[in-house]
Amino acid sequence: MAEVKKVKGWRDVAIGGLVEPGTSEQYNTGSWRTYRPVWHADRCIHCLQCWAFCPDSSIVVKDEKFSGFDYYHCKGCGLCAKMCPVKGEKAITMILETEAAKAEKK
Amino acid sequence: MALNLKKLSHKPEMLAPGHRACSGCTAPFMIRLALKMVEDDEKLVTSIATGCMEVVTTIYPFSAWKCSNIHCAFENSAATLSGAEAAYRVLAKRGKVKEKFKFLAMGGDGGTYDIGFQSLSGAMERGHEMLYICYDNEGYMNTGIQRSSATPKGAETNTSFAGTAKPGKEQHRKDLTACLVAHDIPYVAQASVHNIRDLGDKIYKGLHCGGPAFINVLAPCHRGWRIGVDQGVEYARLAVEANFWPLFEVEKGLYKINYKPKTQLPITDWLKGQGRFKHLFNDKNKHIIDELQAEADKKWKQLLRREAESLEDAKAAAPAQA
Amino acid sequence: MSTTAVSKGAGSKFTPHEIMGLSGNEAAAEALKQVNPDVAAVFPITPQTELMHKFAEYVANGAVDTELINVESEHSAMSATVGASAAGARAVTATSANGLALMWEIVAIASSLRLPIVMPVVNRAISGPLNIHCDHSDTMGCRDLGWIQLYSEDSQEAYDNMIQAFRIAEDKSVMLPVMVTFDGFIISHTMERVEIIADDGVVRKFVGEYKPENYLLNAQHPVTYGPLDLPDWLFEHKRQEVQGFLNAPEVIKKVGREYGQITGRSYDLLENYRMDDAELAVVALGSTAGTAKAAIDELRDEGVKAGLVKIRCFRPFPGKELCATLGRCKAVSVMDRSFSFGLEGGPVFNEIRGAAYGAGLKVPMVSHIYGIGGRDINVTQIRGIFEGLKKLASGGRIETVENYVGLRE
Ligand SMILES: Cc1ncc(C[n+]2csc(CCOP(=O)(O)OP(=O)(O)O)c2C)c(N)n1
Ligand code: SF4
Ligand code: SF4
């Protein structure tokens, strides 16, 4: 994937405004988050509902199993937590970013 | 093909993250799913109408599309893709393109029900082998939430305010799916983002029916509907449970209802909690709720009748048993 | 169509020709047949309709294997052409007046996506009131939408321009769509003697195989066409479009010369007719150039030093070349077949006067607007224009800048 730089002059960009595929990956939408999804391994049944409903392709799946969040892109919408079918306390819960940051500092 | 998420997780992700859709928008995961509904040896060319999904996925110099995508204008997603599909046929015939390609056009309800209606109708009539998916969020969301012909009666938008003189949008929604059924194309369906198994199957069928296909997908916009960021999927489900948005398909003219609620929810279960319908819950506007209920009931009965007729037709067309 | 199959004698340095009686529409369709484009989107509108009929007939009879898209409007015609071209196909469509107006939005998108589409436009007055006859309000109205515009004087030029248009559009240093225009009815429906390149293979070799660089059907390298281009980028992309126009004149001239080497008919941006020592000149485009030539021949016989500059290529605008010839004259009239409402003088006039100012020309220059909605223009009327120029050349004052020819007062 071509690295996109924002400083190119008119001579250096592809004509017609063509764009390379998948380049949005370089854009950080993780900074939009006010809530952060957190995963609870013990409760997860790896049904992949969260993965299917994530609008931002931010649930990482490896070998058909939940394996983490892509926090560079996750916008913290909470759909993954909402769609988690686990009864009782869900395998994904949402916490405030500010709380998460505090916890990280400790 | 029954959708299996575990199997599906092996398919490459064709809509990259980093697009700028609102947090919690339901359309992007619908598109993610759609782009996976091709076989491994099939490539996709997509087109998209001006509107939220186009704008958020292609802000220069970034693109979320990993397959080819073209945005031309607001009203011509279907016409533009019909040109690409024609190009494919001739270039394949002339040996210049060797791979198998599938064609997927998309547009919001504004770009589909309204300004793009003619272009869609033309492309379907001409028989291009392509699937058109309308992600119906019941309004022109990208320009700041205006009414479209898909907006339900009574809904408040920025061009159909609920004021002292007017109670929100004054007309019932247009039944676009029925309009497309009238085109007698091989495959027409209505689906919802909350039921991805049904949705995935339909998209697969639409892409592989050998002709033009159309799927109308209810894809709530939490901004326009004024619901919680994480409630889009839930409100899509409620619309289906209330028979406001039945899930059905019409294959070669024969109707099949894909989901029948065990007990139909009252329309108010769907309306309440949506900010755009808040004003309906006072005595002055209560009649609109009754009208919405009556419309949903009428349409549902119509659909049941059509399904029953289709069963008869299918029986009559089947060869006699020896 | 009547055909007299005469090949130029063996030993001619030019490729063999067939001489045919063709209308402009038939001539353009013949060129398209010989090129055999990948995709053609068609929709009827007078006076372009017969072009499309003829081409559809070629498709039906297998003379071409072009994919024909019978769209439901011109808006979709241009949209489908854009889709086909972006997909990697050589794509064409054709239209007139209201059809062009309906596709306006996409006409601009086609050029901004740098798609080398070729589109014959049979000139007709833009409504309203409704009129189906020739003037240039349609193509002049979209002079700033980023298309190269080649105007044709007769059916022969319509044919020749069509073939050259593909080479010009697809040149990697240009990559801009080309409109080939010819006057509705006057050219489109008048049968004329046209020399057709006898061997389709020669045409196809001249035009070459279309090799797109970035295209939707490239399985190895998918691409996104038509992004949201915000204030931080659109300027740069538009400047690139300008570069296509800056590169185009040399390409147009080169292609015109090479075409001449094959056919004996070379093309430039302008055609100067009896301009070497001309003191009085008119500037015209389209079929009127032919009428002007007849008037000039008469005037020359009478000893008047009259001449014509015919603009073949209106976009890119050959300002420098025009000034180089017109600068030697004593008075000039620019003939416009359309208005530029709210501006004194027609569009061609104003562009030439602008270029003349830049070049420091002091030649008195007037605008003559004529032929609106298909109103006839004849030799006598053009002689009348020269009468006025005579007065200007001998020190007369310009009384009105915008003058009308053939208007009932
Ligand atoms: C010809 C034209 N008219 C109007 C617009 C402005 N416009 C851009 S997007 C849009 C609304 C899109 O609504 P919809 O198709 O429902 O998609 P959504 O934004 O809801 O996803 C409008 C009106 C335009 N781009 N082009
Ligand atoms: S919070 Fe939203 S964006 Fe983040 S992983 Fe969950 S579904 Fe995806
Ligand atoms: S406004 Fe609505 S449809 Fe548009 S991106 Fe946001 S949530 Fe999605």
Side-chain angles (χ1 to χ4, degrees), chain B residues 43-46 54-55 58-76 79-84 86-91 93-94 96-97 99 101 103 118-120 122-123 125-126 128, chain C residues 36-39 64-67 69-73 75-76 79-89 102 105-106 109 113 209-210 215-230 232-233 237:
Chain B
K43 305 272 174 196
L44 260 181
V45 174
T46 57
E54 174 267 326
V55 162
T58 67
I59 302 183
Y60 195 88
F62 303 107
S63 168
W65 302 90
K66 291 192 177 178
C67 54
S68 278
N69 174 265
I70 181 166
H71 158 249
C72 184
F74 186 18
E75 63 290 65
N76 63 357
T80 305
L81 199 71
S82 79
Y88 170 59
R89 265 184 285 143
V90 65
L91 294 178
K93 180 174 73 186
R94 292 179 177 181
K96 289 187 179 171
V97 173
E99 299 82 0
F101 274 91
F103 295 85
Q118 169 186 320
S119 150
L120 169 63
E125 183 272 336
R126 291 193 295 275
H128 295 278
Chain C
N36 191 19
D38 298 314
V39 175
V64 291
D65 62 351
T66 303
E67 198 57 51
I69 317 180
N70 281 280
V71 283
E72 82 298 333
S73 74
H75 194 284
S76 288
S79 304
T81 310
V82 162
S85 182
L102 185 61
E105 180 195 25
I106 316 303
I109 290 172
L113 296 180
E209 193 190 335
Y210 176 49
Y215 56 106
L216 299 169
L217 290 169
N218 185 342
Q220 278 69 47
H221 198 122
V223 65
T224 296
Y225 261 94
L228 175 66
D229 218 22
L230 293 172
D232 48 350
W233 288 103
H237 286 128

Side-chain angles (χ1 to χ4, degrees), chain B residues 20-28 52-53 56 135 137 141-142 220-224:
Chain B
R20 258 64 84 75
C22 299
S23 173
C25 181
T26 63
C52 276
M53 284 310 105
V56 304
Y135 66 94
N137 52 28
M141 299 315 181
N142 192 244
C221 160
H222 61 76
R223 310 257 312 131

Side-chain angles (χ1 to χ4, degrees), chain C residues 38-234:
Chain C
D38 298 314
V39 175
V42 295
F43 195 80
I45 182 167
T46 307
Q48 171 271 141
T49 307
E50 286 73 16
L51 196 171
M52 175 206 80
H53 285 180
K54 199 74 215 169
F55 191 71
E57 203 180 307
Y58 292 141
V59 173
N61 296 335
V64 291
D65 62 351
T66 303
E67 198 57 51
L68 195 70
I69 317 180
N70 281 280
V71 283
E72 82 298 333
S73 74
E74 287 89 352
H75 194 284
S76 288
M78 186 46 73
S79 304
T81 310
V82 162
S85 182
R90 183 177 267 157
V92 301
T93 183
T95 194
S96 290
N98 294 31
L100 185 61
L102 185 61
M103 60 169 73
W104 217 260
E105 180 195 25
I106 316 303
V107 170
I109 290 172
S111 53
S112 66
L113 296 180
R114 307 299 294 277
L115 299 171
I117 292 164
V118 172
M119 171 164 69
V121 179
V122 184
N123 286 112
R124 155 180 161 175
I126 287 264
S127 287
L130 182 65
N131 173 293
I132 55 168
H133 294 275
C134 176
D135 69 34
H136 295 162
S137 52
D138 52 2
T139 50
M140 280 298 154
C142 65
R143 62 192 184 273
D144 288 340
L145 293 188
W147 284 57
I148 289 173
Q149 291 192 342
L150 302 178
Y151 284 75
S152 323
E153 182 183 327
D154 52 25
S155 298
Q156 182 70 59
E157 288 196 7
Y159 170 81
D160 294 340
N161 281 338
M162 281 298 296
I163 291 172
Q164 293 170 68
F166 290 94
R167 277 278 301 278
I168 297 164
E170 293 166 8
D171 190 285
K172 293 295 173 215
S173 73
V174 176
M175 290 302 282
L176 288 167
V178 178
M179 253 176 229
V180 172
T181 85
F182 47 97
D183 290 349
F185 292 106
I186 305 165
I187 299 177
S188 69
H189 285 62
T190 308
M191 189 161 323
E192 288 183 302
R193 176 190 183 280
V194 181
E195 290 190 11
I196 298 295
I197 297 173
D199 179 358
D200 291 356
V202 171
V203 175
R204 283 174 203 176
K205 193 163 156 249
F206 178 81
V207 169
E209 193 190 335
Y210 176 49
K211 293 198 182 97
E213 267 177 12
N214 300 293
Y215 56 106
L216 299 169
L217 290 169
N218 185 342
Q220 278 69 47
H221 198 122
V223 65
T224 296
Y225 261 94
L228 175 66
D229 218 22
L230 293 172
D232 48 350
W233 288 103
L234 189 73

